[in-house]
Amino acid sequence: MASKNTQPLQGMEDIGGPEVYLWQSLEDTARRIFHLYGFSEIRTPIPERTGIFTHTIGDATDIVQKEMYTFEDRGGRSVTLRPEGTAGVVRYLMGLGQEARDARLYYMGPMYRAERPQAGRKRQFHQCGVEMVGDANYLADAECIALQLHLLEEWGLTDCNLLINTRGERGESEQIADELRNLLQPRKGELCDDCQRRLDSNVLRILDCKRRECQKVVDSLPPLTELMKADSREYFERLRATLKELGVDATVDPRLVRGLDYYAHTVWEITHPALGAQDALAGGGRYEIESGKNSLAGVGFAMGMERVLMALKSVGVEPDENEAASDVWLVSMGERALKANMALEQDLRYKGIACNMDLHGRSMKAQMRAANRSGARKVVIRGDDEIERDILVLKDMVSGEQFEVDSKSLMDRLLT
Ligand code: AMP
């Protein structure tokens, strides 16, 4: 029985066993696809100064208000474990100044949010995302979305739904928020407690509140696009046309706003039917972020890897139990054979053959059992007698055949 001492913190998971090979294969595929689109990797630190997130994500957002893992470091500085990837990457890019123009970066790694754990909602989860620097350009937004769907397809997820919307230019967000507030104020009493608070602090979020009473109010509002300037609407229409030209199906969801303050123009979400209540596989959007005298515009997305894995399981993708198998298992009877096998093992590994053996001098039976468990397709057996005769016994674990080979031809046999 696992005791509390052997468990990770609540909402966090160890990833090992056959499952980890599935993670690695998803990561390998992601790297390959990102390369096709001209992206390179950036690894930013997991802890950042708290201000990086409060400033970039926005003080009034759920993440900043309720979900950050924030603590004082030994120097009394406020530090936060990253709840998302964009803020750190943008900090890095701002440091590059002009060099960051047109940068295309991707990241993969753990994120931290102190949420109530449930299926598809963890406190440590993993995201794989990209950031594409550049001023508002619907072609870049379309390319970013196309890249994301390409990657999902390569992973084996073809039945995803893409929902898109626009938040209008950054400059008009205050005016849109004011108009929404005016429309909602008379119906404040019908909204849930959270949304009553959001009316002042983050009125856009009321649009995507999941509570029925709020949805009823929201359904009576005009779509966001009607509150926007013609330029913003045109940007969005051009994006939709470009997506069509690229063969990407997109459904407009006029209530989609996404949680973070930094978005401007395009926002999107990708859902998967197998995910139930937490059905968002991924989110993305265009942003403009200011910090002191610096500002940075770009477009990006983040995919939740745990949810990608859940969706993959629903379409029948399971971890491969044999992924970890060695090619060859070496069985040694006696001290001399153990030493000789150890040298052989090293030789084989240098030649690129994955092999393994028991180092504890266990019985032949125990070693054969271990060989079986390892999934190795070939087993090499030797004891004193074989050493004297300069031969080895080779057993094919698939056919069950067993025969003697001389040490010189062993390698050829193992490589076939
Ligand atoms: P967000 O920036 O919140 O839209 O997150 C992007 C993606 O990360 C979501 O679509 C989810 O797939 C994933 N995600 C966000 N929060 C969690 C969480 N607490 N646990 C697992 N996955 C998450």
Side-chain angles (χ1 to χ4, degrees):
M1 260 296 266
S3 79
K4 203 171 154 216
N5 288 342
T6 61
Q7 294 294 308
L9 292 171
Q10 202 194 1
M12 308 202 179
E13 273 174 6
D14 302 308
I15 304 166
E19 179 108 4
V20 86
Y21 289 95
L22 200 48
W23 281 80
Q24 288 173 351
S25 117
L26 295 183
E27 288 160 6
D28 289 348
T29 304
R31 288 177 204 287
R32 182 168 57 76
I33 300 298
F34 290 147
H35 174 70
L36 295 179
Y37 287 76
F39 284 73
S40 59
E41 186 175 4
I42 177 69
R43 303 182 188 197
T44 60
I46 289 170
E48 296 270 3
R49 286 184 298 282
T50 300
I52 297 287
F53 302 113
T54 48
H55 175 77
T56 308
I57 300 172
D59 287 325
T61 56
D62 284 355
I63 292 185
V64 168
Q65 294 226 320
K66 299 191 249 178
E67 297 169 1
M68 295 211 299
Y69 274 94
T70 298
F71 55 92
E72 266 192 15
D73 72 2
R74 286 168 183 272
R77 290 164 290 247
S78 180
V79 164
T80 296
L81 302 183
R82 63 181 185 195
E84 54 93 65
T86 302
V89 177
V90 165
R91 173 196 51 67
Y92 164 77
L93 287 166
M94 281 181 174
L96 293 182
Q98 271 302 301
E99 253 182 76
R101 207 178 37 197
D102 302 328
R104 291 179 167 217
L105 297 175
Y106 74 86
Y107 60 86
M108 292 181 201
M111 306 292 161
Y112 300 84
R113 295 186 194 172
E115 302 192 76
R116 199 161 55 80
Q118 49 184 289
R121 199 173 278 263
K122 302 276 172 239
R123 289 181 172 171
Q124 177 183 278
F125 60 99
H126 297 75
Q127 283 185 344
C128 159
V130 307
E131 308 299 346
M132 228 168 125
V133 175
D135 288 337
N137 178 340
Y138 59 89
L139 295 174
D141 302 1
E143 186 184 356
C144 199
I145 292 172
L147 154 62
Q148 193 173 16
L149 289 167
H150 185 174
L151 176 53
L152 285 163
E153 230 176 276
E154 289 282 321
W155 278 339
L157 292 174
T158 46
D159 45 358
C160 299
N161 302 310
L162 167 66
L163 307 172
I164 57 170
N165 196 20
T166 174
R167 292 177 43 150
E169 275 175 29
R170 186 74 196 248
E172 62 184 334
S173 61
E174 267 314 304
Q175 175 224 318
I176 293 174
D178 282 345
E179 291 207 32
L180 270 180
R181 228 172 267 124
N182 289 340
L183 289 165
L184 287 166
Q185 196 66 41
R187 304 186 64 181
K188 186 172 177 182
E190 296 170 55
L191 299 171
C192 72
D193 290 349
D194 275 346
C195 283
Q196 294 200 11
R197 245 175 287 121
R198 286 176 183 143
L199 204 49
D200 294 319
S201 62
N202 196 357
V203 67
L204 271 185
R205 274 328 289 271
I206 298 178
L207 297 190
D208 68 358
C209 178
K210 300 280 183 282
R211 293 192 187 235
R212 195 166 309 150
E213 66 265 34
C214 300
Q215 280 183 353
K216 229 172 99 191
V217 176
V218 164
D219 281 343
S220 67
L221 296 173
L224 265 192
T225 40
E226 276 185 28
L227 310 178
M228 279 168 207
K229 290 199 289 202
D231 282 358
S232 294
R233 278 204 295 273
E234 189 174 324
Y235 182 103
F236 190 52
E237 287 317 314
R238 288 186 174 182
L239 166 73
R240 290 181 63 194
T242 310
L243 287 173
K244 217 176 199 167
E245 281 156 23
L246 294 176
V248 171
D249 277 337
T251 306
V252 176
D253 177 351
R255 308 293 174 224
L256 179 73
V257 292
R258 311 249 319 123
L260 319 181
D261 271 5
Y262 51 56
Y263 289 115
H265 283 298
T266 318
V267 285
W268 70 90
E269 210 154 80
I270 296 182
T271 62
H272 190 275
L275 292 184
Q278 308 298 332
D279 67 350
L281 263 188
R286 168 160 288 287
Y287 50 81
E288 273 167 48
I289 295 171
E290 274 156 33
S291 172
K293 288 198 188 104
N294 296 323
S295 79
L296 194 120
V299 59
F301 65 70
M303 320 235 230
M305 297 303 287
E306 281 78 1
R307 295 198 196 164
V308 166
L309 277 154
M310 282 167 73
L312 279 172
K313 282 182 186 163
S314 80
V315 296
V317 176
E318 288 293 337
D320 179 357
E321 299 285 333
N322 285 322
E323 195 68 61
S326 299
D327 303 320
V328 177
W329 194 274
L330 306 176
V331 170
S332 337
M333 287 172 298
E335 188 68 23
R336 279 171 74 202
L338 184 64
K339 291 268 167 62
N341 276 350
M342 189 99 189
L344 173 62
E345 184 184 45
Q346 190 70 348
D347 196 20
L348 292 178
R349 286 170 174 165
Y350 266 82
K351 292 193 163 75
I353 298 176
C355 50
N356 218 333
M357 59 187 269
D358 170 65
L359 298 177
H360 304 282
R362 294 200 173 93
S363 71
M364 167 85 179
K365 208 166 144 194
Q367 289 187 56
M368 285 309 291
R369 253 203 315 271
N372 241 322
R373 261 203 315 273
S374 78
R377 297 165 69 85
K378 294 194 169 135
V379 174
V380 172
I381 306 164
R382 69 173 152 191
D384 288 342
D385 182 41
E386 285 77 14
I387 291 178
E388 295 296 333
R389 292 165 54 210
D390 196 21
I391 58 139
L392 301 105
V393 173
L394 184 60
K395 179 166 182 178
D396 185 315
M397 298 296 273
V398 181
S399 66
E401 262 183 296
Q402 182 169 314
F403 43 87
E404 293 183 351
V405 289
D406 61 64
S407 55
K408 287 197 189 65
S409 57
L410 177 73
M411 203 58 78
D412 292 340
R413 296 281 197 159
L414 290 181
L415 288 170
T416 55

